[in-house]
Amino acid sequence: MPRKKSTKSSGKESKTPAVATESFVNGTHFMVDAVPTATAPFSITRALNIQGWGHLDAVLLAALATEAPLLLVGPHGTGKSLLIERLAKALGLSMRHYNASLLNYDDLVGIPIPEEGNDSLRFIATPDSIWGAEFVFFDEISRCRPDLQNKMFPIIHERRVAGILLEKLRFRWSAMNPPAPDEPDANAPTANYYLGSEPLDPALADRFPYVVPVPDWKQLTKEDRRRLVSWRDEFLNPGTRPQPVEAMPPLLEMANRCAALIPDLEQDLDEWLSDYIILVIDLLDKAQLPQSPRRANMLARSVVAVHAARMVLEGDDADLETSAEIALLFGLPQSATEVPPSEPNVVAVHKQAWEIASLMEDDGWRKILEESDSLRRILLAEELGFDDTSISRLITQALGAESSEARRVGVATALFLAFRAVRRLAPSAWEPLAQLAGRVLQPRAMNVTAGPGVDMNNWKAISGWLSDHEQNKGEQALLERNFVLAGYPELWRKDNWRESLDRFRQDLALFGVFEEQQS
């Protein structure tokens, strides 16, 4: 759809696209809100008697519908292998389950025999070889030898082994324990670390569109825990009464319905989704989570697939914003590393990208949000003529973005002096500004008594600096001295006072508080 142009400079008109809820594929009409309905959403994992995984249903269905490789990451005993075995059984597929830590290449391909009269090989298959498999599960992939990981690469990425296309193979899923950090915490319980689990080769990890951290005991609700320990687990367990066929989840039908929705969704969302993904990738890079161009393409496809899956599972309750957040949370290869990204950071990236992408190209707020520096956002809002309420909001955000108390004091002082005479800010902005700036703007005289240690060392350096700059006159020089004294001793136990002073000077200059800088 063509992007509309807004005539407002600081409004918040949205361009988030609406999406269809029905599709035609091969002459068949699919209504996604037929069954299951929004009032009774269907849970794949609950139907498979896997407890506490309901939030992953859409991701699992999206991976099935697109036949995309998926990697499960989690502690032992969380049900990773159990889920995949039950999925394959419910789909009626021929599955091969390989323990990658014990796997040899011959276990995959069988016994190679040279062909007479040419240079090719043929393989004598064993019952466990990969030929003829429809679903392949590589367990403990992070414990696999590097040379064998390289041989798994074409299987996962291209469905090929020894250059031969595996025509029947549809699903390539894997599982692993979280890798141990390079320097494990000696005080942490040893059970928290899997010392034999190594981070995947980045190129291999980047071939999994879905990298899914799974819940452990702490993430389960009380009701999930009750179901988990109940003996009434009759789904496909050997030695128990099998579940009636009609009660098994219609996974194949649901996957086909999901796949049928994807082409129309891709067309409807193309322009908007491209904008959103570009913003996500740039913001992830700034958050020290760089992604490859391949991953950018994967994420775009995953957003569509997850949304289609939620439309099948939840009907009209499926909203695109949540679908995009889910796809991002379970689509980053860093989730398979020893330091996985924190969920709040990933959600923050999503929310910022979503807000920007939902605005028109010429909307003033879009220009503001595209600026990553919170202080420069305020200056840009001034240039664009934003009102006092909007400036107040940006000031509050800028103060909240600073984790250092010393920096917050410096920023608040610069903002207070810059806006006190030109803006009628909201109390939510004025009150913290006045409180923090007051620590610097009030005249200070100090009598210091400090014992040996950090406080004494800081005071010696500060008193020497004060003596050297005593001859400097003017408001800025006085303000700088007040700033340094205001931070002693508490702030300078955490922050370097010289570095904080330099940043304070930069903030004063950024907002033009003084015409000239004094040394």
Side-chain angles (χ1 to χ4, degrees), residues 280-333:
V280 162
I281 298 300
D282 289 343
L283 290 169
L284 286 172
D285 188 66
K286 292 174 183 177
Q288 306 300 312
L289 292 169
Q291 306 299 321
S292 69
R294 179 190 299 107
R295 181 60 54 172
N297 181 271
M298 285 181 178
L299 285 172
R301 294 178 178 275
S302 295
V303 170
V304 173
V306 168
H307 190 57
R310 294 186 65 234
M311 291 169 70
V312 171
L313 293 168
E314 304 172 32
D316 292 339
D317 282 353
D319 63 291
L320 184 58
E321 181 176 2
T322 301
S323 299
E325 181 178 316
I326 292 171
L328 186 58
L329 280 170
F330 301 107
L332 298 183

Side-chain angles (χ1 to χ4, degrees), residues 44 142 235 238 240 243 316 332 345 358 423 465 491 503:
I44 294 172
S142 60
F235 189 90
T240 65
Q243 190 176 27
D316 292 339
L332 298 183
N345 288 345
S358 299
R423 286 285 183 176
W465 176 83
L491 297 185
R503 298 195 72 175

Side-chain angles (χ1 to χ4, degrees), residues 269-282:
L269 300 176
D270 180 55
E271 186 175 2
W272 175 88
L273 187 56
S274 298
D275 195 10
Y276 168 78
I277 292 296
I278 290 170
L279 290 165
V280 162
I281 298 300
D282 289 343

Side-chain angles (χ1 to χ4, degrees), residues 378-379 381-383 385-389 391-392 395 413-426 430 433 511-513:
I378 299 171
L379 290 176
E382 277 280 282
E383 294 175 9
F386 274 48
D387 58 24
D388 292 338
T389 300
I391 296 289
S392 298
I395 287 175
T413 303
L415 290 171
F416 182 87
L417 294 173
F419 290 112
R420 59 180 175 175
V422 296
R423 286 285 183 176
R424 295 177 61 85
L425 299 179
W430 269 131
L433 284 182
F511 288 96
V513 176

Side-chain angles (χ1 to χ4, degrees), residues 19 79 203-204 219 247 262 267 321 360 378 421 432 437 471 481 492:
V19 294
L204 178 57
Q219 279 84 52
I262 289 175
Q267 183 175 354
E321 181 176 2
M360 300 296 177
I378 299 171
Q471 71 278 11
R481 287 193 283 270
W492 310 141

